[in-house]
Amino acid sequence: MSATISLEELSQHLQQLEREAAGAIQEAQTPAELEELRVNLLGRKGRLSAVLGAMGQLQGEERPKVGERANRLKEQVQHLLGERLEHLRSSQMRERLKGERLDVTMPPSAVLPGHRHPLVQTCEEIVDLFAGLGYRVSEGPEIETDHYNFTALNIPAHHPARDMQDTFYLDRGEGRDQTLLRTHTSPVQIRYLEANPPPVRVVAPGRVFRRDSMDATHSPVFHQVEVLALDEGLDFSHLRGTVTTFLRAFFGDLPVRFRASYFPFTEPSAEVDVQWRGRWLEVMGCGMVDPAVLEGLGIDPGRWSGFAAGLGVERFCMVRHGIDDIRRLYTSDLRFLEQF
Ligand code: DAH
């Protein structure tokens, strides 16, 4: 700037500075560029400072006018810088979000999709078939008492039938309250009837426990599904019809036979076989609910009758899939499980 400067010249400088600043700010592409501009325009050695420095050469009364303009220009530039910075930051954020967007509908590539265990699938299929026949689903506790697991099912203390099921006893309670791991799902029959007056149709899936050592056909923990129907006028033909319908739905059109058997809580009782690959295979126990069981519950056996059945889920699963060893269902070997 020359040694003497007119008001006119200074005003022109300011005007030019204003135009250039506005243009440069709009073109800045990064916060760093904006900061550089700010130093360049407003900094101590910046262009506005230079204009203000030249103000000393003006006449006294001219100085406030230029000073005022310079101040307004400073504020304006600060405002434009702020706006541009804001704009750059939000578009930067938009870009980042675009880059980081996840398509949650994409199929997984690195991770194998999970699926349900074959035992769970079998259990659900069995329960679904009964649900289709109008049965409700219920469950009972795995820790049971002597009363529900045995006595209420017409298996009194010292009854030889208790030996059919080697029991894990727990060290709480005694007499009817003695706790144990349930040996079958049949106690759910009692619990359900206590809470729901007949007519009832219910299935109860669940885990059961017996003191067996593990081998190809035994496991100390396995699964059963209990079936119970109680109504007026139910007889053995209803049992036969229901069980046969269910077995055909599950296994296909196989020969089914009923063999007389014994369970303390049913009379008469039967075991059911299906002919599978040329052999008769036992798949479930069943029978007409013993009147003594109903009497224990305060239900009139003269009016209500029904049938019960219990089946082992592992057996159904193994037959369906041709699995030769029950231990395969419990060792969590992915090479095995991925086949289902
Ligand atoms: N609870 C018996 C068991 O585990 C199976 C069973 C047989 C259940 C006959 C029933 C039934 O409901 O009627 O060996």
Side-chain angles (χ1 to χ4, degrees), residues 11 58 90 176 222 259 320:
S11 301
L58 291 177
S90 62
R176 64 171 272 152
F222 59 103
R259 261 185 304 114
R320 159 68 64 82

Side-chain angles (χ1 to χ4, degrees), residues 165 184 186 189 210 224 226 263 265-266 285-287 308-310:
Q165 304 181 352
H184 51 178
S186 299
Q189 291 187 34
R210 290 192 198 171
Q224 289 188 334
E226 192 76 14
F263 298 101
F265 35 91
T266 45
C286 61

Side-chain angles (χ1 to χ4, degrees), residues 313-332:
V313 179
E314 279 75 1
R315 171 58 73 86
F316 275 66
C317 182
M318 289 168 74
V319 171
R320 159 68 64 82
H321 296 296
I323 298 167
D324 57 354
D325 190 325
I326 195 172
R327 287 168 291 199
R328 293 197 185 280
L329 293 172
Y330 287 102
T331 40
S332 301

Side-chain angles (χ1 to χ4, degrees), residues 258-276:
F258 287 67
R259 261 185 304 114
S261 183
Y262 171 76
F263 298 101
F265 35 91
T266 45
E267 179 59 35
S269 305
E271 275 170 315
V272 188
D273 304 332
V274 294
Q275 203 171 42
W276 179 260

Side-chain angles (χ1 to χ4, degrees), residues 140-340:
E142 291 175 350
I143 295 180
E144 264 300 0
T145 61
D146 183 280
H147 172 74
Y148 285 104
N149 196 78
F150 293 123
T151 316
L153 287 162
N154 203 28
I155 317 174
H158 312 301
H159 190 287
R162 290 197 179 205
D163 297 340
M164 288 160 64
Q165 304 181 352
D166 275 327
T167 309
F168 286 111
Y169 287 96
L170 304 173
D171 60 0
R172 261 181 296 136
E174 41 185 81
R176 64 171 272 152
D177 296 326
Q178 162 75 58
T179 50
L180 45 83
L181 298 181
R182 67 175 176 192
T183 58
H184 51 178
T185 45
S186 299
V188 187
Q189 291 187 34
I190 307 300
R191 289 185 176 275
Y192 193 81
L193 284 174
E194 278 180 351
N196 304 273
V200 306
R201 278 170 181 71
V202 66
V203 273
R207 270 200 301 191
V208 302
F209 308 84
R210 290 192 198 171
R211 291 183 47 179
D212 276 328
S213 1
M214 193 117 200
D215 62 25
T217 52
H218 294 86
S219 159
V221 182
F222 59 103
H223 296 74
Q224 289 188 334
V225 175
E226 192 76 14
V227 184
L228 173 69
L230 195 64
D231 206 333
E232 287 169 316
L234 289 183
D235 59 36
F236 203 88
S237 66
H238 298 106
L239 166 59
R240 247 193 115 99
T242 303
V243 166
T244 307
T245 302
F246 159 68
L247 289 175
R248 295 238 161 97
F250 188 90
F251 288 113
D253 205 4
L254 297 176
V256 174
R257 84 177 175 196
F258 287 67
R259 261 185 304 114
S261 183
Y262 171 76
F263 298 101
F265 35 91
T266 45
E267 179 59 35
S269 305
E271 275 170 315
V272 188
D273 304 332
V274 294
Q275 203 171 42
W276 179 260
R277 294 181 180 159
R279 286 197 305 143
W280 287 106
L281 206 71
E282 181 193 320
V283 291
M284 61 201 286
C286 61
M288 300 307 292
V289 177
D290 194 305
V293 172
L294 297 179
E295 273 159 14
L297 287 161
I299 296 171
D300 176 8
R303 177 170 173 204
W304 304 100
S305 62
F307 55 85
L311 57 92
V313 179
E314 279 75 1
R315 171 58 73 86
F316 275 66
C317 182
M318 289 168 74
V319 171
R320 159 68 64 82
H321 296 296
I323 298 167
D324 57 354
D325 190 325
I326 195 172
R327 287 168 291 199
R328 293 197 185 280
L329 293 172
Y330 287 102
T331 40
S332 301
D333 183 340
L334 281 182
R335 289 169 307 176
F336 171 74
L337 293 175
E338 275 164 7
Q339 302 175 64
F340 301 94

